[in-house]
Amino acid sequence: GAGVSQSPSNKVTEKGKDVELRCDPISGHTALYWYRQSLGQGLEFLIYFQGNSAPDKSGLPSDRFSAERTGGSVSTLTIQRTQQEDSAVYLCASRKTLDRSNEKLFFGSGTQLSVL
Amino acid sequence: AQKVTQAQTEISVVEKEDVTLDCVYETRDTTYYLFWYKQPPSGELVFLIRRNSFDEQNEISGRYSWNFQKSTSSFNFTITASQVVDSAVYFCALKGWRNFGNEKLTFGTGTRLTIIP
């Protein structure tokens, strides 16, 4: 696609439910990133993928969070047993390669997650 | 540990005024990258600039300019003759270059800039 696409744009869920957030990166981009933006906070790194592998998962807040990427394209971020503190905007970004000469990330519009 | 501080939470200026957004960073890395991103109301962050730590030359792009001062660990962003379309949240970010595979960007908390017509 022309840009990074995320769905849904808004998600309201009840505490304790599981949610899946989807990211469709720019076609041909090998690197994919998930960030979380909480109210009044900066962006917090969660995980990144190179192809289907996740070399760095260090930002995932707890074992309730997981992510996968298939076919070197679409990625899904899953949050199990959601808690109110999970409420945030979840942003996905992609990058063509991990070449140091090209550090430009392309971001999606995010998924606003609200846990009631 | 890395840290990026954007002390200005919100700034409002009248259209056509110049405005400077401050960014101060902390890192133990000797080589690193600094970034500015713009987040308009649509939510998508838009890349503005990347600066390498070994290149202290200031940069100008149209109405935008960046002042990198390694001695004070600052990477400030100035918009000249501001326009209403400049209204957005601006984020400064840092990435260390310790080894290949460090892909984590550390962001500041952002500065919300409002341009008053």
Side-chain angles (χ1 to χ4, degrees), chain A residues 4-6 22-25 32-35 75 90-94 106-111:
Chain A
V4 177
S5 178
Q6 292 188 245
R22 176 187 168 107
C23 173
D24 213 331
L32 184 148
Y33 307 75
W34 284 98
Y35 281 84
S75 176
Y90 289 81
L91 291 164
C92 178
S94 70
F106 293 83
F107 281 83
S109 298
T111 294

Side-chain angles (χ1 to χ4, degrees), chain A:
Chain A
V4 177
S5 178
Q6 292 188 245
S7 60
S9 55
N10 278 284
K11 177 70 177 179
V12 180
T13 189
E14 293 179 353
K15 179 181 172 181
K17 300 279 190 184
D18 298 351
V19 295
E20 285 188 353
L21 312 180
R22 176 187 168 107
C23 173
D24 213 331
I26 292 173
S27 179
H29 280 200
T30 61
L32 184 148
Y33 307 75
W34 284 98
Y35 281 84
R36 178 168 73 173
Q37 183 176 18
S38 303
L39 194 62
Q41 304 292 317
L43 278 73
E44 174 190 12
F45 170 84
L46 298 178
I47 186 172
Y48 94 94
F49 290 88
Q50 171 59 19
N52 293 333
S53 301
D56 188 354
K57 309 179 185 180
S58 64
L60 293 177
S62 73
D63 58 9
R64 296 185 296 104
F65 287 72
S66 63
E68 66 173 13
R69 189 180 185 194
T70 56
S73 180
V74 173
S75 176
T76 303
L77 177 68
T78 301
I79 308 173
Q80 296 179 309
R81 306 181 301 282
T82 52
Q83 302 294 312
Q84 288 182 334
E85 61 263 29
D86 300 335
S87 297
V89 176
Y90 289 81
L91 291 164
C92 178
S94 70
R95 181 174 154 201
K96 192 170 185 180
T97 69
L98 292 181
D99 184 349
R100 289 295 175 198
S101 67
N102 176 14
E103 292 277 353
K104 185 175 178 179
L105 292 182
F106 293 83
F107 281 83
S109 298
T111 294
Q112 172 74 62
L113 175 65
S114 300
V115 182
L116 304 178

Side-chain angles (χ1 to χ4, degrees), chain B residues 9-113:
Chain B
T9 305
E10 295 191 32
I11 300 176
S12 294
V13 300
V14 176
E15 194 173 19
K16 297 184 183 176
E17 287 185 355
D18 299 348
V19 58
T20 295
L21 309 182
D22 297 333
C23 173
V24 174
Y25 62 92
E26 296 174 29
T27 180
R28 293 181 181 177
D29 294 316
T30 54
T31 301
Y32 48 90
Y33 299 103
L34 293 162
F35 303 79
W36 277 94
Y37 278 86
K38 173 183 180 180
Q39 186 179 38
S42 62
E44 297 179 19
L45 275 82
V46 176
F47 170 90
L48 295 178
I49 190 171
R50 178 196 80 167
R51 171 60 79 220
N52 303 328
S53 57
F54 45 84
D55 179 5
E56 289 195 65
Q57 192 170 24
N58 291 328
E59 183 158 342
I60 298 174
S61 175
R63 296 184 296 108
Y64 296 171
S65 63
W66 290 269
N67 184 350
F68 177 31
Q69 298 275 355
K70 206 167 181 178
S71 59
T72 55
S73 297
S74 66
F75 186 43
N76 296 339
F77 173 31
T78 297
I79 302 174
T80 303
S82 59
Q83 299 176 4
V84 173
V85 293
D86 297 327
S87 296
V89 180
Y90 290 85
F91 289 95
C92 181
L94 165 72
K95 182 163 87 170
W97 196 85
R98 275 164 277 126
N99 50 57
F100 186 82
N102 175 29
E103 289 298 312
K104 177 181 175 180
L105 272 175
T106 299
F107 282 84
T109 51
T111 297
R112 180 176 299 279
L113 175 64

